PDB file of all heavy atoms in Angstrom:
ATOM      1  N   GLN A  27      78.667 -75.296 298.260  1.00  0.00           N
ATOM      2  CA  GLN A  27      79.208 -76.466 298.955  1.00  0.00           C
ATOM      3  C   GLN A  27      80.548 -76.856 298.330  1.00  0.00           C
ATOM      4  O   GLN A  27      80.607 -77.737 297.466  1.00  0.00           O
ATOM      5  CB  GLN A  27      78.214 -77.615 298.886  1.00  0.00           C
ATOM      6  CG  GLN A  27      76.879 -77.294 299.524  1.00  0.00           C
ATOM      7  CD  GLN A  27      75.876 -78.425 299.396  1.00  0.00           C
ATOM      8  OE1 GLN A  27      76.149 -79.465 298.820  1.00  0.00           O
ATOM      9  NE2 GLN A  27      74.694 -78.218 299.940  1.00  0.00           N
ATOM     10  N   PRO A  28      81.638 -76.211 298.745  1.00  0.00           N
ATOM     11  CA  PRO A  28      82.944 -76.516 298.166  1.00  0.00           C
ATOM     12  C   PRO A  28      83.460 -77.886 298.572  1.00  0.00           C
ATOM     13  O   PRO A  28      83.011 -78.472 299.558  1.00  0.00           O
ATOM     14  CB  PRO A  28      83.839 -75.401 298.718  1.00  0.00           C
ATOM     15  CG  PRO A  28      83.188 -75.023 300.017  1.00  0.00           C
ATOM     16  CD  PRO A  28      81.712 -75.165 299.786  1.00  0.00           C
ATOM     17  N   SER A  29      84.420 -78.383 297.827  1.00  0.00           N
ATOM     18  CA  SER A  29      85.030 -79.678 298.125  1.00  0.00           C
ATOM     19  C   SER A  29      85.804 -79.620 299.432  1.00  0.00           C
ATOM     20  O   SER A  29      86.172 -78.540 299.917  1.00  0.00           O
ATOM     21  CB  SER A  29      85.972 -80.080 296.992  1.00  0.00           C
ATOM     22  OG  SER A  29      87.080 -79.182 296.939  1.00  0.00           O
ATOM     23  N   ASN A  30      86.090 -80.778 299.999  1.00  0.00           N
ATOM     24  CA  ASN A  30      86.842 -80.828 301.258  1.00  0.00           C
ATOM     25  C   ASN A  30      88.211 -80.151 301.156  1.00  0.00           C
ATOM     26  O   ASN A  30      88.608 -79.421 302.080  1.00  0.00           O
ATOM     27  CB  ASN A  30      86.989 -82.273 301.730  1.00  0.00           C
ATOM     28  CG  ASN A  30      85.700 -82.833 302.282  1.00  0.00           C
ATOM     29  OD1 ASN A  30      84.827 -82.091 302.736  1.00  0.00           O
ATOM     30  ND2 ASN A  30      85.552 -84.149 302.258  1.00  0.00           N
ATOM     31  N   PRO A  31      88.992 -80.371 300.078  1.00  0.00           N
ATOM     32  CA  PRO A  31      90.271 -79.658 300.005  1.00  0.00           C
ATOM     33  C   PRO A  31      90.122 -78.137 300.015  1.00  0.00           C
ATOM     34  O   PRO A  31      90.931 -77.438 300.646  1.00  0.00           O
ATOM     35  CB  PRO A  31      90.865 -80.158 298.673  1.00  0.00           C
ATOM     36  CG  PRO A  31      90.277 -81.515 298.497  1.00  0.00           C
ATOM     37  CD  PRO A  31      88.872 -81.375 299.015  1.00  0.00           C
ATOM     38  N   VAL A  32      89.105 -77.616 299.357  1.00  0.00           N
ATOM     39  CA  VAL A  32      88.881 -76.171 299.371  1.00  0.00           C
ATOM     40  C   VAL A  32      88.492 -75.708 300.775  1.00  0.00           C
ATOM     41  O   VAL A  32      88.957 -74.669 301.255  1.00  0.00           O
ATOM     42  CB  VAL A  32      87.806 -75.764 298.343  1.00  0.00           C
ATOM     43  CG1 VAL A  32      87.409 -74.299 298.507  1.00  0.00           C
ATOM     44  CG2 VAL A  32      88.321 -76.002 296.930  1.00  0.00           C
ATOM     45  N   GLN A  33      87.674 -76.482 301.449  1.00  0.00           N
ATOM     46  CA  GLN A  33      87.309 -76.140 302.825  1.00  0.00           C
ATOM     47  C   GLN A  33      88.551 -76.070 303.718  1.00  0.00           C
ATOM     48  O   GLN A  33      88.668 -75.188 304.570  1.00  0.00           O
ATOM     49  CB  GLN A  33      86.315 -77.156 303.376  1.00  0.00           C
ATOM     50  CG  GLN A  33      84.944 -77.101 302.717  1.00  0.00           C
ATOM     51  CD  GLN A  33      83.990 -78.117 303.314  1.00  0.00           C
ATOM     52  OE1 GLN A  33      83.925 -78.298 304.529  1.00  0.00           O
ATOM     53  NE2 GLN A  33      83.241 -78.790 302.453  1.00  0.00           N
ATOM     54  N   LEU A  34      89.488 -76.999 303.525  1.00  0.00           N
ATOM     55  CA  LEU A  34      90.721 -76.995 304.318  1.00  0.00           C
ATOM     56  C   LEU A  34      91.571 -75.767 303.999  1.00  0.00           C
ATOM     57  O   LEU A  34      92.138 -75.150 304.896  1.00  0.00           O
ATOM     58  CB  LEU A  34      91.519 -78.269 304.053  1.00  0.00           C
ATOM     59  CG  LEU A  34      90.940 -79.547 304.668  1.00  0.00           C
ATOM     60  CD1 LEU A  34      91.656 -80.772 304.120  1.00  0.00           C
ATOM     61  CD2 LEU A  34      91.057 -79.505 306.190  1.00  0.00           C
ATOM     62  N   LEU A  35      91.670 -75.425 302.725  1.00  0.00           N
ATOM     63  CA  LEU A  35      92.416 -74.220 302.350  1.00  0.00           C
ATOM     64  C   LEU A  35      91.828 -73.004 303.043  1.00  0.00           C
ATOM     65  O   LEU A  35      92.562 -72.182 303.612  1.00  0.00           O
ATOM     66  CB  LEU A  35      92.368 -74.037 300.832  1.00  0.00           C
ATOM     67  CG  LEU A  35      93.014 -72.760 300.292  1.00  0.00           C
ATOM     68  CD1 LEU A  35      94.529 -72.848 300.390  1.00  0.00           C
ATOM     69  CD2 LEU A  35      92.588 -72.502 298.845  1.00  0.00           C
ATOM     70  N   LEU A  36      90.512 -72.880 303.020  1.00  0.00           N
ATOM     71  CA  LEU A  36      89.852 -71.719 303.619  1.00  0.00           C
ATOM     72  C   LEU A  36      90.003 -71.707 305.141  1.00  0.00           C
ATOM     73  O   LEU A  36      90.060 -70.634 305.750  1.00  0.00           O
ATOM     74  CB  LEU A  36      88.374 -71.710 303.232  1.00  0.00           C
ATOM     75  CG  LEU A  36      88.065 -71.594 301.740  1.00  0.00           C
ATOM     76  CD1 LEU A  36      86.560 -71.646 301.508  1.00  0.00           C
ATOM     77  CD2 LEU A  36      88.649 -70.322 301.156  1.00  0.00           C
ATOM     78  N   ARG A  37      90.078 -72.885 305.728  1.00  0.00           N
ATOM     79  CA  ARG A  37      90.181 -72.975 307.188  1.00  0.00           C
ATOM     80  C   ARG A  37      91.551 -72.535 307.688  1.00  0.00           C
ATOM     81  O   ARG A  37      91.679 -71.889 308.740  1.00  0.00           O
ATOM     82  CB  ARG A  37      89.921 -74.408 307.634  1.00  0.00           C
ATOM     83  CG  ARG A  37      89.923 -74.596 309.164  1.00  0.00           C
ATOM     84  CD  ARG A  37      89.726 -76.057 309.521  1.00  0.00           C
ATOM     85  NE  ARG A  37      88.527 -76.609 308.896  1.00  0.00           N
ATOM     86  CZ  ARG A  37      88.255 -77.921 308.841  1.00  0.00           C
ATOM     87  NH1 ARG A  37      89.095 -78.800 309.371  1.00  0.00           N
ATOM     88  NH2 ARG A  37      87.152 -78.346 308.269  1.00  0.00           N
ATOM     89  N   PHE A  38      92.597 -72.852 306.931  1.00  0.00           N
ATOM     90  CA  PHE A  38      93.954 -72.655 307.445  1.00  0.00           C
ATOM     91  C   PHE A  38      94.711 -71.486 306.820  1.00  0.00           C
ATOM     92  O   PHE A  38      95.823 -71.182 307.252  1.00  0.00           O
ATOM     93  CB  PHE A  38      94.780 -73.940 307.247  1.00  0.00           C
ATOM     94  CG  PHE A  38      94.319 -75.075 308.110  1.00  0.00           C
ATOM     95  CD1 PHE A  38      93.669 -76.166 307.552  1.00  0.00           C
ATOM     96  CD2 PHE A  38      94.514 -75.047 309.479  1.00  0.00           C
ATOM     97  CE1 PHE A  38      93.233 -77.218 308.353  1.00  0.00           C
ATOM     98  CE2 PHE A  38      94.084 -76.096 310.283  1.00  0.00           C
ATOM     99  CZ  PHE A  38      93.440 -77.180 309.718  1.00  0.00           C
ATOM    100  N   THR A  39      94.141 -70.827 305.823  1.00  0.00           N
ATOM    101  CA  THR A  39      94.877 -69.752 305.158  1.00  0.00           C
ATOM    102  C   THR A  39      93.986 -68.541 304.928  1.00  0.00           C
ATOM    103  O   THR A  39      92.769 -68.661 304.799  1.00  0.00           O
ATOM    104  CB  THR A  39      95.425 -70.220 303.794  1.00  0.00           C
ATOM    105  OG1 THR A  39      94.330 -70.544 302.928  1.00  0.00           O
ATOM    106  CG2 THR A  39      96.304 -71.439 303.940  1.00  0.00           C
ATOM    107  N   ASP A  40      94.624 -67.384 304.843  1.00  0.00           N
ATOM    108  CA  ASP A  40      93.934 -66.147 304.474  1.00  0.00           C
ATOM    109  C   ASP A  40      94.225 -65.902 302.999  1.00  0.00           C
ATOM    110  O   ASP A  40      95.362 -65.614 302.625  1.00  0.00           O
ATOM    111  CB  ASP A  40      94.449 -64.982 305.317  1.00  0.00           C
ATOM    112  CG  ASP A  40      93.785 -63.655 304.965  1.00  0.00           C
ATOM    113  OD1 ASP A  40      92.833 -63.663 304.153  1.00  0.00           O
ATOM    114  OD2 ASP A  40      94.230 -62.617 305.483  1.00  0.00           O
ATOM    115  N   ILE A  41      93.215 -66.026 302.160  1.00  0.00           N
ATOM    116  CA  ILE A  41      93.433 -65.903 300.721  1.00  0.00           C
ATOM    117  C   ILE A  41      92.814 -64.622 300.154  1.00  0.00           C
ATOM    118  O   ILE A  41      92.720 -64.467 298.945  1.00  0.00           O
ATOM    119  CB  ILE A  41      92.883 -67.134 299.975  1.00  0.00           C
ATOM    120  CG1 ILE A  41      91.378 -67.286 300.187  1.00  0.00           C
ATOM    121  CG2 ILE A  41      93.621 -68.385 300.418  1.00  0.00           C
ATOM    122  CD1 ILE A  41      90.759 -68.398 299.350  1.00  0.00           C
ATOM    123  N   ASP A  42      92.421 -63.721 301.029  1.00  0.00           N
ATOM    124  CA  ASP A  42      91.813 -62.464 300.586  1.00  0.00           C
ATOM    125  C   ASP A  42      92.760 -61.720 299.643  1.00  0.00           C
ATOM    126  O   ASP A  42      93.940 -61.515 299.954  1.00  0.00           O
ATOM    127  CB  ASP A  42      91.495 -61.590 301.796  1.00  0.00           C
ATOM    128  CG  ASP A  42      90.758 -60.316 301.412  1.00  0.00           C
ATOM    129  OD1 ASP A  42      89.974 -60.348 300.448  1.00  0.00           O
ATOM    130  OD2 ASP A  42      90.985 -59.294 302.075  1.00  0.00           O
ATOM    131  N   GLY A  43      92.264 -61.365 298.462  1.00  0.00           N
ATOM    132  CA  GLY A  43      93.050 -60.600 297.511  1.00  0.00           C
ATOM    133  C   GLY A  43      93.908 -61.420 296.573  1.00  0.00           C
ATOM    134  O   GLY A  43      94.516 -60.865 295.646  1.00  0.00           O
ATOM    135  N   LEU A  44      93.980 -62.736 296.765  1.00  0.00           N
ATOM    136  CA  LEU A  44      94.810 -63.571 295.900  1.00  0.00           C
ATOM    137  C   LEU A  44      94.088 -63.887 294.589  1.00  0.00           C
ATOM    138  O   LEU A  44      92.867 -63.794 294.488  1.00  0.00           O
ATOM    139  CB  LEU A  44      95.174 -64.880 296.616  1.00  0.00           C
ATOM    140  CG  LEU A  44      95.959 -64.748 297.921  1.00  0.00           C
ATOM    141  CD1 LEU A  44      96.373 -66.140 298.425  1.00  0.00           C
ATOM    142  CD2 LEU A  44      97.185 -63.863 297.745  1.00  0.00           C
ATOM    143  N   LYS A  45      94.867 -64.273 293.587  1.00  0.00           N
ATOM    144  CA  LYS A  45      94.309 -64.658 292.285  1.00  0.00           C
ATOM    145  C   LYS A  45      94.247 -66.178 292.198  1.00  0.00           C
ATOM    146  O   LYS A  45      95.237 -66.861 292.464  1.00  0.00           O
ATOM    147  CB  LYS A  45      95.171 -64.120 291.148  1.00  0.00           C
ATOM    148  CG  LYS A  45      95.085 -62.626 290.950  1.00  0.00           C
ATOM    149  CD  LYS A  45      95.886 -62.202 289.728  1.00  0.00           C
ATOM    150  CE  LYS A  45      95.297 -62.766 288.446  1.00  0.00           C
ATOM    151  NZ  LYS A  45      96.037 -62.299 287.244  1.00  0.00           N
ATOM    152  N   ALA A  46      93.063 -66.695 291.826  1.00  0.00           N
ATOM    153  CA  ALA A  46      92.846 -68.136 291.784  1.00  0.00           C
ATOM    154  C   ALA A  46      92.341 -68.555 290.402  1.00  0.00           C
ATOM    155  O   ALA A  46      91.558 -67.843 289.764  1.00  0.00           O
ATOM    156  CB  ALA A  46      91.842 -68.559 292.857  1.00  0.00           C
ATOM    157  N   LEU A  47      92.784 -69.729 289.980  1.00  0.00           N
ATOM    158  CA  LEU A  47      92.337 -70.331 288.727  1.00  0.00           C
ATOM    159  C   LEU A  47      91.808 -71.721 289.022  1.00  0.00           C
ATOM    160  O   LEU A  47      92.491 -72.514 289.688  1.00  0.00           O
ATOM    161  CB  LEU A  47      93.505 -70.429 287.740  1.00  0.00           C
ATOM    162  CG  LEU A  47      93.273 -71.250 286.462  1.00  0.00           C
ATOM    163  CD1 LEU A  47      92.206 -70.601 285.584  1.00  0.00           C
ATOM    164  CD2 LEU A  47      94.588 -71.411 285.685  1.00  0.00           C
ATOM    165  N   GLU A  48      90.596 -72.021 288.542  1.00  0.00           N
ATOM    166  CA  GLU A  48      90.066 -73.380 288.694  1.00  0.00           C
ATOM    167  C   GLU A  48      89.888 -74.023 287.328  1.00  0.00           C
ATOM    168  O   GLU A  48      89.208 -73.488 286.451  1.00  0.00           O
ATOM    169  CB  GLU A  48      88.728 -73.405 289.435  1.00  0.00           C
ATOM    170  CG  GLU A  48      88.255 -74.841 289.620  1.00  0.00           C
ATOM    171  CD  GLU A  48      86.933 -75.006 290.331  1.00  0.00           C
ATOM    172  OE1 GLU A  48      86.120 -74.070 290.322  1.00  0.00           O
ATOM    173  OE2 GLU A  48      86.714 -76.104 290.888  1.00  0.00           O
ATOM    174  N   PHE A  49      90.485 -75.205 287.178  1.00  0.00           N
ATOM    175  CA  PHE A  49      90.281 -76.021 285.989  1.00  0.00           C
ATOM    176  C   PHE A  49      88.950 -76.753 286.104  1.00  0.00           C
ATOM    177  O   PHE A  49      88.588 -77.239 287.179  1.00  0.00           O
ATOM    178  CB  PHE A  49      91.397 -77.074 285.877  1.00  0.00           C
ATOM    179  CG  PHE A  49      92.691 -76.565 285.305  1.00  0.00           C
ATOM    180  CD1 PHE A  49      93.386 -75.523 285.897  1.00  0.00           C
ATOM    181  CD2 PHE A  49      93.236 -77.152 284.176  1.00  0.00           C
ATOM    182  CE1 PHE A  49      94.584 -75.064 285.375  1.00  0.00           C
ATOM    183  CE2 PHE A  49      94.429 -76.710 283.634  1.00  0.00           C
ATOM    184  CZ  PHE A  49      95.110 -75.661 284.236  1.00  0.00           C
ATOM    185  N   ALA A  50      88.226 -76.880 284.981  1.00  0.00           N
ATOM    186  CA  ALA A  50      87.007 -77.687 284.911  1.00  0.00           C
ATOM    187  C   ALA A  50      86.096 -77.405 286.106  1.00  0.00           C
ATOM    188  O   ALA A  50      85.877 -78.250 286.969  1.00  0.00           O
ATOM    189  CB  ALA A  50      87.354 -79.168 284.827  1.00  0.00           C
ATOM    190  N   SER A  51      85.523 -76.202 286.128  1.00  0.00           N
ATOM    191  CA  SER A  51      84.839 -75.689 287.319  1.00  0.00           C
ATOM    192  C   SER A  51      83.511 -76.358 287.643  1.00  0.00           C
ATOM    193  O   SER A  51      82.974 -76.156 288.729  1.00  0.00           O
ATOM    194  CB  SER A  51      84.618 -74.174 287.171  1.00  0.00           C
ATOM    195  OG  SER A  51      85.843 -73.496 287.066  1.00  0.00           O
ATOM    196  N   GLY A  52      82.924 -77.110 286.711  1.00  0.00           N
ATOM    197  CA  GLY A  52      81.710 -77.857 287.018  1.00  0.00           C
ATOM    198  C   GLY A  52      80.550 -76.968 287.411  1.00  0.00           C
ATOM    199  O   GLY A  52      80.147 -76.072 286.672  1.00  0.00           O
ATOM    200  N   ASN A  53      80.012 -77.184 288.625  1.00  0.00           N
ATOM    201  CA  ASN A  53      78.866 -76.378 289.075  1.00  0.00           C
ATOM    202  C   ASN A  53      79.286 -75.047 289.693  1.00  0.00           C
ATOM    203  O   ASN A  53      78.443 -74.244 290.083  1.00  0.00           O
ATOM    204  CB  ASN A  53      77.998 -77.171 290.048  1.00  0.00           C
ATOM    205  CG  ASN A  53      78.670 -77.441 291.380  1.00  0.00           C
ATOM    206  OD1 ASN A  53      79.750 -76.941 291.671  1.00  0.00           O
ATOM    207  ND2 ASN A  53      78.031 -78.271 292.203  1.00  0.00           N
ATOM    208  N   GLY A  54      80.604 -74.830 289.797  1.00  0.00           N
ATOM    209  CA  GLY A  54      81.103 -73.536 290.258  1.00  0.00           C
ATOM    210  C   GLY A  54      81.243 -73.365 291.751  1.00  0.00           C
ATOM    211  O   GLY A  54      81.745 -72.334 292.204  1.00  0.00           O
ATOM    212  N   ASP A  55      80.863 -74.357 292.551  1.00  0.00           N
ATOM    213  CA  ASP A  55      80.858 -74.154 293.999  1.00  0.00           C
ATOM    214  C   ASP A  55      82.253 -73.837 294.555  1.00  0.00           C
ATOM    215  O   ASP A  55      82.396 -72.998 295.449  1.00  0.00           O
ATOM    216  CB  ASP A  55      80.284 -75.382 294.708  1.00  0.00           C
ATOM    217  CG  ASP A  55      78.763 -75.357 294.747  1.00  0.00           C
ATOM    218  OD1 ASP A  55      78.160 -74.430 294.169  1.00  0.00           O
ATOM    219  OD2 ASP A  55      78.163 -76.262 295.359  1.00  0.00           O
ATOM    220  N   ASN A  56      83.291 -74.504 294.046  1.00  0.00           N
ATOM    221  CA  ASN A  56      84.639 -74.196 294.530  1.00  0.00           C
ATOM    222  C   ASN A  56      85.045 -72.777 294.151  1.00  0.00           C
ATOM    223  O   ASN A  56      85.614 -72.043 294.965  1.00  0.00           O
ATOM    224  CB  ASN A  56      85.646 -75.194 293.961  1.00  0.00           C
ATOM    225  CG  ASN A  56      85.520 -76.567 294.580  1.00  0.00           C
ATOM    226  OD1 ASN A  56      85.217 -76.700 295.760  1.00  0.00           O
ATOM    227  ND2 ASN A  56      85.758 -77.597 293.786  1.00  0.00           N
ATOM    228  N   ALA A  57      84.758 -72.390 292.925  1.00  0.00           N
ATOM    229  CA  ALA A  57      85.100 -71.044 292.467  1.00  0.00           C
ATOM    230  C   ALA A  57      84.368 -69.977 293.276  1.00  0.00           C
ATOM    231  O   ALA A  57      84.955 -68.962 293.676  1.00  0.00           O
ATOM    232  CB  ALA A  57      84.776 -70.906 290.978  1.00  0.00           C
ATOM    233  N   PHE A  58      83.083 -70.213 293.545  1.00  0.00           N
ATOM    234  CA  PHE A  58      82.316 -69.231 294.326  1.00  0.00           C
ATOM    235  C   PHE A  58      82.808 -69.164 295.772  1.00  0.00           C
ATOM    236  O   PHE A  58      82.827 -68.087 296.372  1.00  0.00           O
ATOM    237  CB  PHE A  58      80.827 -69.570 294.285  1.00  0.00           C
ATOM    238  CG  PHE A  58      80.186 -69.316 292.950  1.00  0.00           C
ATOM    239  CD1 PHE A  58      79.620 -70.342 292.223  1.00  0.00           C
ATOM    240  CD2 PHE A  58      80.151 -68.035 292.410  1.00  0.00           C
ATOM    241  CE1 PHE A  58      79.040 -70.121 290.982  1.00  0.00           C
ATOM    242  CE2 PHE A  58      79.578 -67.785 291.172  1.00  0.00           C
ATOM    243  CZ  PHE A  58      79.015 -68.836 290.446  1.00  0.00           C
ATOM    244  N   ALA A  59      83.226 -70.300 296.331  1.00  0.00           N
ATOM    245  CA  ALA A  59      83.755 -70.289 297.698  1.00  0.00           C
ATOM    246  C   ALA A  59      85.036 -69.464 297.772  1.00  0.00           C
ATOM    247  O   ALA A  59      85.248 -68.707 298.729  1.00  0.00           O
ATOM    248  CB  ALA A  59      84.007 -71.722 298.172  1.00  0.00           C
ATOM    249  N   LEU A  60      85.901 -69.591 296.770  1.00  0.00           N
ATOM    250  CA  LEU A  60      87.126 -68.800 296.747  1.00  0.00           C
ATOM    251  C   LEU A  60      86.799 -67.316 296.569  1.00  0.00           C
ATOM    252  O   LEU A  60      87.414 -66.450 297.197  1.00  0.00           O
ATOM    253  CB  LEU A  60      88.034 -69.278 295.624  1.00  0.00           C
ATOM    254  CG  LEU A  60      88.590 -70.697 295.766  1.00  0.00           C
ATOM    255  CD1 LEU A  60      89.416 -71.067 294.543  1.00  0.00           C
ATOM    256  CD2 LEU A  60      89.426 -70.846 297.031  1.00  0.00           C
ATOM    257  N   TYR A  61      85.823 -67.032 295.725  1.00  0.00           N
ATOM    258  CA  TYR A  61      85.385 -65.640 295.526  1.00  0.00           C
ATOM    259  C   TYR A  61      84.883 -65.052 296.845  1.00  0.00           C
ATOM    260  O   TYR A  61      85.253 -63.928 297.217  1.00  0.00           O
ATOM    261  CB  TYR A  61      84.287 -65.583 294.468  1.00  0.00           C
ATOM    262  CG  TYR A  61      83.609 -64.240 294.383  1.00  0.00           C
ATOM    263  CD1 TYR A  61      84.148 -63.213 293.613  1.00  0.00           C
ATOM    264  CD2 TYR A  61      82.429 -63.995 295.091  1.00  0.00           C
ATOM    265  CE1 TYR A  61      83.533 -61.974 293.553  1.00  0.00           C
ATOM    266  CE2 TYR A  61      81.810 -62.756 295.033  1.00  0.00           C
ATOM    267  CZ  TYR A  61      82.370 -61.748 294.267  1.00  0.00           C
ATOM    268  OH  TYR A  61      81.754 -60.514 294.228  1.00  0.00           O
ATOM    269  N   GLU A  62      84.046 -65.794 297.550  1.00  0.00           N
ATOM    270  CA  GLU A  62      83.479 -65.292 298.805  1.00  0.00           C
ATOM    271  C   GLU A  62      84.553 -65.088 299.870  1.00  0.00           C
ATOM    272  O   GLU A  62      84.366 -64.297 300.798  1.00  0.00           O
ATOM    273  CB  GLU A  62      82.393 -66.245 299.305  1.00  0.00           C
ATOM    274  CG  GLU A  62      81.136 -66.220 298.433  1.00  0.00           C
ATOM    275  CD  GLU A  62      80.045 -67.141 298.925  1.00  0.00           C
ATOM    276  OE1 GLU A  62      80.327 -68.005 299.786  1.00  0.00           O
ATOM    277  OE2 GLU A  62      78.907 -67.017 298.428  1.00  0.00           O
ATOM    278  N   ALA A  63      85.684 -65.787 299.716  1.00  0.00           N
ATOM    279  CA  ALA A  63      86.804 -65.602 300.646  1.00  0.00           C
ATOM    280  C   ALA A  63      87.701 -64.438 300.239  1.00  0.00           C
ATOM    281  O   ALA A  63      88.715 -64.181 300.898  1.00  0.00           O
ATOM    282  CB  ALA A  63      87.627 -66.887 300.726  1.00  0.00           C
ATOM    283  N   GLY A  64      87.353 -63.747 299.161  1.00  0.00           N
ATOM    284  CA  GLY A  64      88.076 -62.546 298.770  1.00  0.00           C
ATOM    285  C   GLY A  64      88.983 -62.687 297.567  1.00  0.00           C
ATOM    286  O   GLY A  64      89.676 -61.730 297.201  1.00  0.00           O
ATOM    287  N   CYS A  65      88.994 -63.858 296.916  1.00  0.00           N
ATOM    288  CA  CYS A  65      89.872 -64.072 295.770  1.00  0.00           C
ATOM    289  C   CYS A  65      89.344 -63.408 294.500  1.00  0.00           C
ATOM    290  O   CYS A  65      88.142 -63.191 294.347  1.00  0.00           O
ATOM    291  CB  CYS A  65      90.016 -65.566 295.482  1.00  0.00           C
ATOM    292  SG  CYS A  65      91.188 -66.420 296.539  1.00  0.00           S
ATOM    293  N   HIS A  66      90.254 -63.160 293.592  1.00  0.00           N
ATOM    294  CA  HIS A  66      89.934 -62.833 292.210  1.00  0.00           C
ATOM    295  C   HIS A  66      89.978 -64.163 291.467  1.00  0.00           C
ATOM    296  O   HIS A  66      91.033 -64.799 291.381  1.00  0.00           O
ATOM    297  CB  HIS A  66      90.948 -61.858 291.625  1.00  0.00           C
ATOM    298  CG  HIS A  66      90.966 -60.537 292.311  1.00  0.00           C
ATOM    299  ND1 HIS A  66      90.406 -59.401 291.766  1.00  0.00           N
ATOM    300  CD2 HIS A  66      91.463 -60.162 293.520  1.00  0.00           C
ATOM    301  CE1 HIS A  66      90.565 -58.386 292.595  1.00  0.00           C
ATOM    302  NE2 HIS A  66      91.204 -58.814 293.662  1.00  0.00           N
TER     303      HIS A  66
END
């Protein structure tokens, strides 16, 4: 269950293959959502 800003990023952009860094990842949901969209 990613945050609303992450949901918006995924809705409007193709991030497959991009490199992402998350500060203070907490429960990891945002990081896993980016991973499932194809990010490193």
Side-chain angles (χ1 to χ4, degrees):
Q27 300 177 359
S29 66
N30 286 336
V32 171
Q33 292 181 43
L34 287 169
L35 176 72
L36 298 178
R37 183 183 306 167
F38 292 109
T39 63
D40 179 7
I41 61 174
D42 185 33
L44 300 186
K45 288 185 65 177
L47 170 65
E48 183 181 24
F49 280 59
S51 298
N53 68 7
D55 277 4
N56 288 325
F58 289 118
L60 295 177
Y61 169 85
E62 290 181 346
C65 280
H66 297 256

